[in-house]
Amino acid sequence: MSRRSYCRCTRVRNFNYEQAARKLGCYRRWLEDNISRLPHQKYGSAPVFCECELALIQEMHSVISDAALEHAAALADERGQAAEPEPVLSLKSIRPAGASRRARTAS
Ligand SMILES: [Zn+2]
């Protein structure tokens, strides 16, 4: 993973401590105290955050119970969205269409 492979920004739009704290709804002091563990950019002594870094911080600090997680997965299922990615088929499991029918008529 490259240093900024998580970043989807198409143009530079950074937020300083005050702006980031307002967007996240947290205390500026919390960001300052935890900056070494948070994704950010650093120019001199002024750390800044892009939208993607704020989203990562949000994900890192989201608290969700197992029950809530199961409920969210069930909702996603109802809506036809796969909660988990489709399993990758192994080569052995792949058969040409109609192969079993042809085998049956041959015998
Ligand atoms: Zn970004």
Side-chain angles (χ1 to χ4, degrees), residues 72-83:
L75 276 180
D77 266 357
E78 271 177 33
R79 294 174 186 152
Q81 301 161 341

Side-chain angles (χ1 to χ4, degrees), residues 85-96:
E86 290 291 317
V88 177
L89 295 174
S90 71
L91 272 179
K92 276 185 175 178
S93 72
I94 299 173
R95 303 221 187 287

Side-chain angles (χ1 to χ4, degrees), residues 1-102:
M1 184 178 196
S2 82
R3 273 186 175 264
R4 294 200 56 79
S5 59
Y6 59 82
C7 182
R8 304 266 182 265
C9 294
T10 52
R11 60 192 170 117
V12 178
R13 171 102 174 85
N14 286 334
F15 303 92
N16 62 23
Y17 271 134
E18 205 57 52
Q19 295 164 322
R22 202 173 314 118
K23 276 191 83 103
L24 289 169
C26 68
Y27 294 107
R28 174 195 174 127
R29 178 65 195 268
W30 182 84
L31 289 174
E32 291 172 342
D33 289 349
N34 293 283
I35 192 64
S36 63
R37 294 183 286 126
L38 300 174
H40 65 280
Q41 302 153 61
K42 194 168 183 189
Y43 303 99
S45 61
V48 290
F49 309 85
C50 72
E51 293 274 5
C52 313
E53 287 156 346
L54 295 180
L56 273 177
I57 293 169
Q58 184 180 40
E59 198 174 310
M60 288 165 68
H61 294 276
S62 291
V63 179
I64 185 163
S65 68
D66 288 344
L69 207 56
E70 281 171 30
H71 185 71
L75 276 180
D77 266 357
E78 271 177 33
R79 294 174 186 152
Q81 301 161 341
E84 300 281 323
E86 290 291 317
V88 177
L89 295 174
S90 71
L91 272 179
K92 276 185 175 178
S93 72
I94 299 173
R95 303 221 187 287
S100 60
R101 204 178 322 130
R102 236 180 285 128

